[in-house]
Amino acid sequence: IPARDDAERLWLALADAGVRPLGFHAIDIARIEAGLIVFEYEYEPGQLTPFDLGMDRMVSFADGLEYVGRDALQAIADNPPRRLKTLRLEPGDLPEAGSDVTREGQVVGTLTSPTNSPRFGNIALAILDSAATGTDTVVSVDGHTATVADLSIFDPQKLKPRA
């Protein structure tokens, strides 16, 4: 392991070899492509359920396991009202986070994390009413046409964050 005193020299050598730093923007693109949630972007405490975020497997209704909200979660477990999905947006300016997602003039969800992906173009995460979550369902976000896609359009097994 190099000594701390060698850190600057190492950094300069890496830069000379063509290595470039990776910032939050690049990490956020990978997060959105993989369908990973962020506190207060996708997850709003007290407003959403684990089902809304595709975290069904994290909810247990095992006998003897009691917790606040269990009955409410059990009541919607078979048919959750909302789901987190990826939207593929048409080329152009990105709509802002928090924008309404509409279908046939009715609000069916909220855009949470828009980005321009080098792999997929304009994409975003959105929490949608379950009735609007079918793959290839056409929706609109601030005048932009979008189609609904699987939550994780890249790296569905979430291997990248574990690398």
Side-chain angles (χ1 to χ4, degrees):
I1 297 177
R4 288 182 128 184
D5 295 344
D6 293 332
E8 183 178 0
R9 191 167 48 84
L10 174 60
W11 179 256
L12 293 173
L14 289 169
D16 288 344
V19 174
R20 297 289 172 250
L22 180 70
F24 175 77
H25 183 69
I27 293 168
D28 203 40
I29 291 169
R31 172 189 78 79
I32 294 167
E33 290 174 347
L36 299 174
I37 63 172
V38 168
F39 185 75
E40 292 187 353
Y41 279 60
E42 284 74 40
Y43 175 64
E44 299 174 44
Q47 303 298 312
L48 299 171
T49 72
F51 299 117
D52 297 334
L53 302 172
M55 299 176 67
D56 306 37
R57 63 187 175 83
M58 303 296 214
V59 180
S60 174
F61 299 113
D63 288 339
L65 181 62
E66 297 298 324
Y67 52 89
V68 173
R70 178 188 167 117
D71 293 341
L73 287 176
Q74 200 156 22
I76 64 168
D78 290 335
N79 193 18
R82 293 176 299 269
R83 292 303 215 174
L84 181 64
K85 295 296 250 183
T86 298
L87 297 182
R88 291 178 181 263
L89 297 144
E90 64 188 6
D93 294 335
L94 285 169
E96 292 191 25
S99 296
D100 287 340
V101 178
T102 60
R103 182 173 180 219
E104 299 172 355
Q106 300 294 314
V107 175
V108 295
T110 304
L111 192 79
T112 62
S113 294
T115 194
N116 181 276
S117 160
R119 282 186 192 93
F120 302 105
N122 287 345
I123 59 172
L125 298 180
I127 297 172
L128 304 173
D129 294 346
S130 289
T133 60
T135 300
D136 296 328
T137 296
V138 177
V139 295
S140 181
V141 185
D142 284 343
H144 300 279
T145 300
T147 55
V148 177
D150 291 336
L151 175 57
S152 178
I153 60 173
F154 183 73
D155 190 27
Q157 287 78 34
K158 310 291 186 272
L159 299 175
K160 285 183 79 171
R162 297 178 189 151

